[in-house]
Amino acid sequence: MILILLTIDLEKDIPIYTQIRNEVIKALATGELTAGDSLPSVRSLAADLGVNMHTINKAYNILKGEGFLIVNRRKGVVVNKAENFKATIDYYKNLEEQLQPILNEAQCRGMTKKEIISTINKMMKMEGDL
Amino acid sequence: MITTTLTIQIIVLLVVMITLYLTPFFSSKDLAFGIRIPYQERDNIHIKNIKKRYSLFSLIGYTLVLLLFIVTSMPLNILAMVLAILLTFVVCSVFYSLARNQVKSYKGKMNWQVSTNSSKVTIDTNFRKKRIAVSPYWFLLYIPIIIATIVISYFMYDQLPDMLNTQFNNLGAATNSMPKSKALLIAPIVQIAIALLMYFTNYIIIHSKQKNRSEKGNDGRFRFIMSLSLFYLGLTIQLIMLGTQATVMGLISPSILTYGTLATVLVFVLLILGIGLRIGQDGWKLNSEGKHPEDGMSVSQNDDQYWKWGMFYYNKMDPAVFVSKRVGLGYTVNHARPLAWILYSIIVIFIILVFALTL
C-alpha cells in the first residue's frame, strides 16, 4: 500500500479547506490517487490533521461539487471516474480567466513566453514526458 | 516459604522500579521529560546533567525504598507491599517532576527558536488501510478459552464441595472461601471483561491520531507491535483465569498458578521494556518511511502547554480524542473532548460492575 502524503500549513494565508482540496487534486494529478480509491472519513482526517471537522467537510464538499469525489455507501468518500471530471467548456473559460492575470503579471515582469512555458514544464509532469 | 514470598515481592518491586525509571527514555529524543527541545540540543551538557541527576537520585531513592521494605517487611503482610509500591511511585514522580522543571527553566533561559515548519502537518491518507494492528477478529480467539472455563466449571459443579477456597497464602493454605455458585462466576466474568477491554484498546491503537510524517519514526510498525503485545497480554490473562478456575476447583496447586502468573507477567514486562528501548514511543527509533526529518537547531513544535504536568493532554483546538502519550508508551485521551470523560465514566462503571459481580 503506497504512502499518500497530504501536507497542510496551519499558518498559511490560504484557507485550510482550500489547501486540502489542492493536495487531493495534486495526488490525482500525479496518479497517486485513482478512480475508486477511498479517502479517510471526515472524523479520522480531522483528528489526524488536528483541524475542525467542518473544515474537512467543506474540502470534501467542494471536491464533490467539482466532480472529483463521490460518496460510496460502502467505501465512504471515493475518487470519481476520470471521465466524470473532464474539462468542460465552462472549465476552459474559467481556466483562461484565472490564468490571464498571472500570465499578464509574468509578462510585465519581463518573462518571455519560453520562460513561462519552461516553468510550466517544470511544474507539470505528465505521462509521456521525458 | 516465607523467603520465597519475599523474593517474589522483591522481584515485583524491582520490575516496577526499572519500568518507571526507564519510561522517560522511551519518548523521542527531542522530548526531555516531556518538554520539547531542539534535536541538536539533545546531548547538550545541561540536558545530559539533568538526566544524570535524575538517574542518580532515582537509583538512590529506589534503593532506599527497597531496603526499607526488606528491613521492615513482614512478607505475609500485604500492606507492606502496597506501601512499598506507593513509595516507589512517589520517588518516581518527585524526581521526574524535578527533572522536568529543570528542563523547563533551562528552556525558558535558552529562548530556542521554534521551527518554521512547526505549522506544517503531513499525514498519510492510506495509513489506516495498512496493517497497523492485528485484526479485531483475533480477539474472538479468546472465546474458546472462556467457553472452556465455563464448560469445565459446569461439568465439575456437582462433584465440588459447597464452599470453595478462593484465596491462598504463601503456604498454600486457604485464607478465604465462598459458596461455589459465586466462586465459579469470578473467572468467566473477568475473562469477558478483559476480552472487551483488549478489543477496545486495539480500536484505540488503530484510531488514535497519526504521527506527523515530518517527524522521525515508523508509527505503523510501532502500532502493529503494540497491538500484537496487547493480544498476547489478553491471551495470557485468559489462560491465567482458566488456571485460576482450575485452582479454585482444586485441580491444580495454588503455587503452580502463582509461578505461572509471575512468569507471564515478567515476560510481558520484558516485552514492553524491549519495545520501549528498541522501538521507542511511536516507533521513533525505527527508520522513517516517506519524508525524512531534519535534525533541527530549533524546537519542532511549541506544544508543551497542551500537556498539563507533562501527562494530561488538553487541547481544545485538536478534534482528536485519542493521541500518543507524551512520556511512556501507548496512547492517552485529549481531556478537552467530552468523549474522553464519557469514556472514563464508562470504564469506572465497568470496573465497579465487575467488582460488584465478583465480590
Side-chain angles (χ1 to χ4, degrees):
Chain A
M1 183 77 55
I2 57 158
L3 199 68
I4 300 177
L5 296 177
L6 192 156
T7 304
I8 58 161
D9 191 333
L10 302 168
E11 276 166 21
K12 241 187 196 170
D13 288 334
I14 305 167
I16 291 164
Y17 61 84
T18 310
Q19 292 185 40
I20 296 169
R21 171 203 174 263
N22 292 346
E23 285 285 294
V24 170
I25 291 177
K26 190 169 103 188
L28 284 168
T30 56
E32 283 174 56
L33 277 176
T34 51
D37 285 350
S38 65
L39 285 168
S41 69
V42 172
R43 186 178 294 274
S44 161
L45 192 57
D48 281 348
L49 289 173
V51 301
N52 202 300
M53 286 210 286
H54 298 302
T55 310
I56 308 293
N57 236 330
K58 200 162 175 180
Y60 277 179
N61 280 332
I62 291 171
L63 286 162
K64 268 185 257 169
E66 292 170 331
F68 294 109
L69 300 179
I70 43 167
V71 178
N72 181 304
R73 201 170 288 171
R74 203 168 46 85
K75 284 164 83 183
V77 181
V78 297
V79 174
N80 208 345
K81 287 192 190 101
E83 63 251 36
N84 291 327
F85 48 82
K86 276 260 177 312
T88 56
I89 298 165
D90 281 344
Y91 175 74
Y92 277 114
K93 262 192 210 157
N94 193 10
L95 180 73
E96 279 176 15
E97 238 169 65
Q98 285 184 330
L99 273 178
Q100 198 63 65
I102 296 170
L103 295 177
N104 289 347
E105 189 184 337
Q107 209 172 350
C108 289
R109 292 183 188 275
M111 275 178 87
T112 62
K113 209 177 193 177
K114 212 176 163 188
E115 280 171 334
I116 294 171
I117 290 171
S118 85
T119 308
I120 292 175
N121 277 335
K122 206 170 70 192
M123 290 170 71
M124 281 177 93
K125 277 207 183 76
M126 289 191 145
E127 252 177 280
D129 276 3
L130 284 177
Chain B
M1 257 320 203
I2 285 174
T3 44
T4 358
T5 311
L6 191 61
T7 317
I8 291 174
Q9 289 179 338
I10 289 172
I11 291 173
V12 171
L13 257 182
L14 273 174
V15 164
V16 172
M17 286 170 176
I18 292 169
T19 313
L20 285 177
Y21 165 71
L22 287 176
T23 303
F25 303 113
F26 294 165
S27 8
S28 163
K29 277 267 190 313
D30 70 333
L31 282 170
F33 301 98
I35 305 280
R36 196 71 80 170
I37 56 166
Y39 270 108
Q40 296 274 320
E41 302 285 340
R42 64 186 186 267
D43 293 326
N44 172 318
I45 188 79
H46 290 274
I47 304 285
K48 259 197 169 155
N49 279 339
I50 295 170
K51 282 182 183 166
K52 269 187 200 155
R53 273 199 296 270
Y54 162 81
S55 295
L56 183 69
F57 288 138
S58 304
L59 198 71
I60 295 171
Y62 291 145
T63 313
L64 285 177
V65 174
L66 207 60
L67 285 176
L68 199 74
F69 174 71
I70 295 168
V71 171
T72 64
S73 158
M74 290 163 287
L76 291 177
N77 189 354
I78 192 81
L79 202 70
M81 183 66 186
V82 173
L83 217 66
I85 290 196
L86 225 63
L87 266 178
T88 308
F89 274 96
V90 170
V91 167
C92 167
S93 15
V94 166
F95 294 123
Y96 177 82
S97 323
L98 277 177
R100 184 183 152 74
N101 285 337
Q102 283 163 3
V103 176
K104 208 172 170 179
S105 71
Y106 180 64
K107 184 181 177 178
K109 259 187 279 172
M110 290 309 286
N111 243 325
W112 285 310
Q113 292 264 309
V114 178
S115 160
T116 46
N117 279 332
S118 71
S119 58
K120 277 191 187 154
V121 187
T122 302
I123 56 115
D124 176 12
T125 59
N126 265 349
F127 188 61
R128 291 195 178 74
K129 290 182 209 157
K130 295 172 181 167
R131 232 168 112 82
I132 55 168
V134 303
S135 156
Y137 293 114
W138 279 38
F139 295 89
L140 292 175
L141 285 171
Y142 296 166
I143 293 174
I145 306 173
I146 301 175
I147 290 173
T149 312
I150 295 169
V151 165
I152 57 163
S153 316
Y154 179 78
F155 283 109
M156 289 286 292
Y157 193 81
D158 290 337
Q159 301 161 40
L160 294 171
D162 288 338
M163 294 296 276
L164 290 176
N165 299 323
T166 52
Q167 254 177 40
F168 304 88
N169 66 12
N170 58 309
L171 301 166
T175 53
N176 194 14
S177 60
M178 272 188 195
K180 65 177 171 182
S181 59
K182 221 176 165 190
L184 293 176
L185 272 180
I186 299 174
I189 289 173
V190 173
Q191 282 179 321
I192 292 166
I194 292 292
L196 291 172
L197 194 70
M198 297 292 145
Y199 175 86
F200 178 62
T201 311
N202 198 52
Y203 176 89
I204 296 176
I205 291 177
I206 297 169
H207 291 278
S208 83
K209 188 190 184 91
Q210 206 184 120
K211 195 177 157 77
N212 193 343
R213 289 281 146 176
S214 52
E215 286 171 38
K216 189 179 182 296
N218 190 333
D219 192 6
R221 176 75 57 82
F222 170 75
R223 283 182 206 228
F224 189 76
I225 292 168
M226 286 298 273
S227 171
L228 211 58
S229 314
L230 177 84
F231 176 76
Y232 165 78
L233 175 70
L235 191 68
T236 53
I237 296 177
Q238 297 296 346
L239 292 171
I240 287 169
M241 290 323 288
L242 178 61
T244 307
Q245 193 79 330
T247 310
V248 167
M249 292 191 295
L251 296 176
I252 58 173
S253 109
S255 64
I256 293 177
L257 183 69
T258 310
Y259 289 117
T261 308
L262 192 71
T264 24
V265 169
L266 277 181
V267 168
F268 183 70
V269 173
L270 285 177
L271 186 70
I272 289 300
L273 290 180
I275 294 173
L277 296 174
R278 295 293 299 276
I279 294 169
Q281 169 74 317
D282 297 327
W284 70 269
K285 293 189 179 190
L286 302 173
N287 286 328
S288 314
E289 44 170 2
K291 276 195 178 178
H292 284 271
E294 31 177 342
D295 273 14
M297 291 290 290
S298 47
V299 184
S300 67
Q301 268 176 69
N302 233 348
D303 51 0
D304 292 341
Q305 76 268 28
Y306 300 127
W307 291 89
K308 311 291 171 202
W309 302 291
M311 248 193 300
F312 303 104
Y313 185 59
Y314 186 94
N315 184 356
K316 276 190 176 163
M317 304 282 283
D318 189 350
V321 179
F322 304 110
V323 295
S324 289
K325 272 189 194 167
R326 183 80 149 181
V327 178
L329 289 185
Y331 304 92
T332 183
V333 291
N334 180 359
H335 295 79
R337 296 266 79 83
L339 186 60
W341 295 99
I342 294 170
L343 286 173
Y344 273 141
S345 326
I346 291 173
I347 290 169
V348 169
I349 292 168
F350 192 67
I351 292 170
I352 292 172
L353 210 70
V354 170
F355 270 99
L357 284 169
T358 54
L359 288 179

Coordinates of all heavy atoms in Angstrom, one line a residue, chain A residues 1-42:
Chain A
M1 N 0.9 -1.2 0.0 CA 0.0 0.0 0.0 C 0.9 1.2 0.0 O 1.8 1.4 0.8 CB -0.9 0.0 1.3 CG -1.9 1.1 1.4 SD -3.3 1.0 0.3 CE -4.0 -0.6 0.8
I2 N 0.7 2.1 -1.0 CA 1.6 3.3 -1.1 C 1.2 4.4 -0.1 O 0.1 4.4 0.4 CB 1.6 3.9 -2.5 CG1 0.2 4.3 -3.0 CG2 2.3 2.9 -3.5 CD1 0.2 5.3 -4.1
L3 N 2.2 5.2 0.1 CA 2.1 6.3 1.0 C 1.5 7.5 0.3 O 2.1 7.9 -0.7 CB 3.5 6.6 1.5 CG 3.8 7.4 2.7 CD1 3.5 6.6 3.9 CD2 5.3 7.7 2.7
I4 N 0.4 8.0 0.7 CA -0.2 9.2 0.1 C -0.1 10.3 1.1 O -0.9 10.4 2.0 CB -1.6 9.0 -0.4 CG1 -1.6 7.8 -1.5 CG2 -2.2 10.2 -1.0 CD1 -3.0 7.5 -2.0
L5 N 0.9 11.2 0.9 CA 1.1 12.2 1.9 C 0.2 13.5 1.6 O 0.1 13.9 0.4 CB 2.6 12.6 1.9 CG 3.5 11.5 2.4 CD1 4.9 11.9 2.3 CD2 3.1 11.0 3.8
L6 N -0.3 14.0 2.6 CA -1.1 15.2 2.5 C -0.6 16.2 3.5 O -0.5 15.9 4.7 CB -2.6 14.8 2.8 CG -3.7 15.8 2.5 CD1 -5.0 15.0 2.4 CD2 -3.9 16.8 3.6
T7 N -0.1 17.4 3.0 CA 0.5 18.3 3.9 C -0.3 19.6 3.9 O -0.7 20.1 2.9 CB 1.9 18.7 3.4 OG1 2.7 17.5 3.3 CG2 2.6 19.6 4.4
I8 N -0.6 20.1 5.1 CA -1.2 21.4 5.2 C -0.3 22.3 6.1 O 0.4 21.8 6.9 CB -2.6 21.4 5.8 CG1 -2.6 20.7 7.1 CG2 -3.6 20.7 4.8 CD1 -3.9 21.0 8.0
D9 N -0.5 23.6 5.9 CA 0.3 24.6 6.7 C -0.8 25.4 7.5 O -1.5 26.2 6.9 CB 1.2 25.4 5.9 CG 2.1 26.3 6.7 OD1 1.8 26.5 7.9 OD2 3.2 26.6 6.2
L10 N -0.8 25.3 8.8 CA -1.9 25.9 9.6 C -1.7 27.4 9.6 O -2.6 28.1 10.0 CB -1.8 25.3 11.0 CG -2.1 23.8 11.1 CD1 -1.7 23.4 12.5 CD2 -3.5 23.5 10.7
E11 N -0.5 27.9 9.3 CA -0.3 29.4 9.4 C -0.3 30.1 8.0 O -0.1 31.3 8.0 CB 1.0 29.7 10.2 CG 0.8 29.6 11.7 CD 2.0 29.6 12.5 OE1 3.1 30.0 12.0 OE2 1.9 29.2 13.6
K12 N -0.5 29.3 7.0 CA -0.6 30.0 5.6 C -1.8 30.8 5.5 O -2.8 30.5 6.2 CB -0.6 28.9 4.6 CG 0.6 28.9 3.6 CD 0.4 27.9 2.5 CE 1.7 27.6 1.8 NZ 1.5 26.5 0.9
D13 N -1.8 31.8 4.6 CA -3.0 32.6 4.3 C -4.1 31.9 3.6 O -5.3 32.2 3.7 CB -2.6 33.9 3.5 CG -1.8 34.8 4.4 OD1 -1.9 34.8 5.6 OD2 -1.0 35.6 3.8
I14 N -3.7 30.8 2.9 CA -4.7 30.1 2.1 C -5.6 29.3 3.1 O -5.0 28.6 4.0 CB -4.0 29.1 1.1 CG1 -3.1 29.9 0.2 CG2 -5.0 28.3 0.3 CD1 -2.2 29.0 -0.6
P15 N -6.9 29.3 3.0 CA -7.7 28.6 3.9 C -7.4 27.1 3.9 O -7.0 26.6 2.9 CB -9.2 28.8 3.4 CG -9.1 29.9 2.5 CD -7.7 30.1 2.0
I16 N -7.5 26.4 5.1 CA -7.1 25.0 5.2 C -7.9 24.1 4.3 O -7.4 23.2 3.6 CB -7.2 24.6 6.7 CG1 -6.1 25.3 7.4 CG2 -7.0 23.1 6.8 CD1 -6.2 25.2 8.9
Y17 N -9.2 24.4 4.1 CA -10.0 23.6 3.2 C -9.6 23.7 1.8 O -9.6 22.7 1.1 CB -11.6 23.9 3.3 CG -12.0 25.3 3.0 CD1 -12.2 25.6 1.6 CD2 -12.2 26.2 3.9 CE1 -12.6 26.9 1.3 CE2 -12.5 27.5 3.6 CZ -12.8 27.9 2.3 OH -13.2 29.1 2.0
T18 N -9.1 24.9 1.4 CA -8.5 25.0 0.0 C -7.2 24.2 -0.1 O -7.0 23.6 -1.1 CB -8.3 26.5 -0.3 OG1 -9.5 27.2 0.0 CG2 -7.9 26.7 -1.7
Q19 N -6.4 24.3 1.0 CA -5.1 23.5 1.0 C -5.4 22.0 0.8 O -4.7 21.3 0.1 CB -4.4 23.8 2.2 CG -3.8 25.2 2.4 CD -2.9 25.3 3.7 OE1 -2.2 24.4 4.0 NE2 -3.1 26.4 4.4
I20 N -6.4 21.5 1.5 CA -6.8 20.1 1.5 C -7.2 19.8 0.1 O -6.8 18.8 -0.5 CB -7.8 19.7 2.5 CG1 -7.2 19.9 3.9 CG2 -8.3 18.3 2.4 CD1 -8.2 19.8 5.1
R21 N -8.1 20.6 -0.5 CA -8.6 20.4 -1.8 C -7.5 20.3 -2.8 O -7.4 19.4 -3.6 CB -9.6 21.5 -2.2 CG -10.0 21.5 -3.7 CD -10.4 22.9 -4.2 NE -10.7 22.8 -5.6 CZ -9.8 23.2 -6.5 NH1 -8.6 23.6 -6.2 NH2 -10.1 23.1 -7.8
N22 N -6.5 21.3 -2.7 CA -5.4 21.3 -3.6 C -4.5 20.1 -3.5 O -4.0 19.6 -4.5 CB -4.6 22.6 -3.4 CG -5.3 23.9 -3.8 OD1 -6.4 23.8 -4.5 ND2 -4.9 25.0 -3.4
E23 N -4.3 19.6 -2.3 CA -3.5 18.5 -2.0 C -4.1 17.2 -2.6 O -3.4 16.4 -3.2 CB -3.3 18.2 -0.5 CG -2.3 19.2 0.1 CD -0.8 18.9 -0.2 OE1 -0.3 17.8 0.2 OE2 -0.2 19.7 -1.0
V24 N -5.5 17.1 -2.5 CA -6.1 15.9 -3.1 C -6.0 16.0 -4.6 O -5.7 14.9 -5.2 CB -7.6 15.9 -2.6 CG1 -8.4 14.8 -3.4 CG2 -7.7 15.6 -1.1
I25 N -6.2 17.2 -5.2 CA -6.1 17.3 -6.6 C -4.7 17.0 -7.1 O -4.5 16.4 -8.1 CB -6.6 18.7 -7.1 CG1 -8.1 18.7 -6.9 CG2 -6.3 18.9 -8.6 CD1 -8.8 20.0 -7.2
K26 N -3.7 17.4 -6.3 CA -2.3 17.1 -6.6 C -2.1 15.6 -6.7 O -1.5 15.1 -7.6 CB -1.4 17.7 -5.6 CG 0.1 17.7 -6.0 CD 0.9 18.5 -5.0 CE 1.7 17.7 -4.0 NZ 2.3 18.5 -3.0
A27 N -2.6 14.9 -5.7 CA -2.5 13.4 -5.7 C -3.2 12.8 -6.9 O -2.7 11.8 -7.4 CB -3.0 12.9 -4.3
L28 N -4.3 13.4 -7.3 CA -5.0 12.9 -8.5 C -4.1 13.1 -9.7 O -4.0 12.3 -10.6 CB -6.3 13.6 -8.7 CG -7.5 13.2 -7.8 CD1 -8.6 14.2 -7.8 CD2 -8.0 11.8 -8.1
A29 N -3.5 14.3 -9.8 CA -2.7 14.7 -11.0 C -1.5 13.8 -11.1 O -1.1 13.4 -12.2 CB -2.3 16.2 -10.9
T30 N -0.9 13.5 -10.0 CA 0.3 12.7 -10.0 C 0.0 11.2 -10.2 O 0.9 10.4 -10.3 CB 1.2 12.8 -8.8 OG1 0.4 12.6 -7.7 CG2 1.7 14.3 -8.7
G31 N -1.3 10.8 -10.1 CA -1.7 9.4 -10.2 C -1.6 8.6 -8.9 O -1.8 7.4 -8.9
E32 N -1.2 9.3 -7.8 CA -1.2 8.6 -6.5 C -2.6 8.1 -6.1 O -2.8 7.1 -5.6 CB -0.7 9.5 -5.4 CG 0.8 9.8 -5.4 CD 1.2 10.8 -4.4 OE1 0.8 10.7 -3.2 OE2 1.8 11.8 -4.8
L33 N -3.6 9.0 -6.4 CA -5.0 8.6 -6.2 C -5.6 8.3 -7.6 O -5.5 9.1 -8.5 CB -5.7 9.8 -5.6 CG -5.6 9.9 -4.0 CD1 -6.4 11.2 -3.6 CD2 -6.2 8.7 -3.3
T34 N -6.3 7.2 -7.7 CA -7.0 6.9 -8.9 C -8.5 6.5 -8.6 O -8.8 6.3 -7.5 CB -6.3 5.7 -9.7 OG1 -6.2 4.7 -8.8 CG2 -5.0 6.1 -10.3
A35 N -9.3 6.4 -9.7 CA -10.7 6.1 -9.5 C -10.9 5.0 -8.6 O -10.3 3.9 -8.7 CB -11.3 5.8 -10.9
G36 N -11.9 5.1 -7.7 CA -12.2 4.1 -6.7 C -11.4 4.0 -5.4 O -11.8 3.4 -4.5
D37 N -10.3 4.8 -5.4 CA -9.6 4.9 -4.1 C -10.4 5.6 -3.1 O -11.0 6.6 -3.4 CB -8.2 5.6 -4.3 CG -7.2 4.8 -5.1 OD1 -7.5 3.6 -5.3 OD2 -6.2 5.4 -5.5
S38 N -10.3 5.1 -1.9 CA -11.1 5.8 -0.8 C -10.2 6.7 0.0 O -9.0 6.5 0.2 CB -11.8 4.8 0.1 OG -10.8 4.0 0.8
L39 N -10.8 7.8 0.5 CA -10.2 8.8 1.3 C -10.6 8.5 2.8 O -11.7 8.0 3.0 CB -10.5 10.2 0.9 CG -9.8 10.6 -0.4 CD1 -10.4 11.9 -0.9 CD2 -8.3 10.8 -0.1
P40 N -9.8 9.0 3.8 CA -10.3 8.8 5.2 C -11.6 9.5 5.5 O -12.0 10.4 4.8 CB -9.1 9.5 6.0 CG -8.0 9.7 5.0 CD -8.6 9.8 3.7
S41 N -12.3 9.0 6.5 CA -13.5 9.6 6.9 C -13.2 11.0 7.4 O -12.1 11.4 7.8 CB -14.2 8.8 8.0 OG -13.4 8.9 9.2
V42 N -14.3 11.9 7.4 CA -14.1 13.2 7.9 C -13.6 13.3 9.3 O -12.6 14.0 9.6 CB -15.5 13.9 7.9 CG1 -15.4 15.3 8.5 CG2 -16.0 14.1 6.5

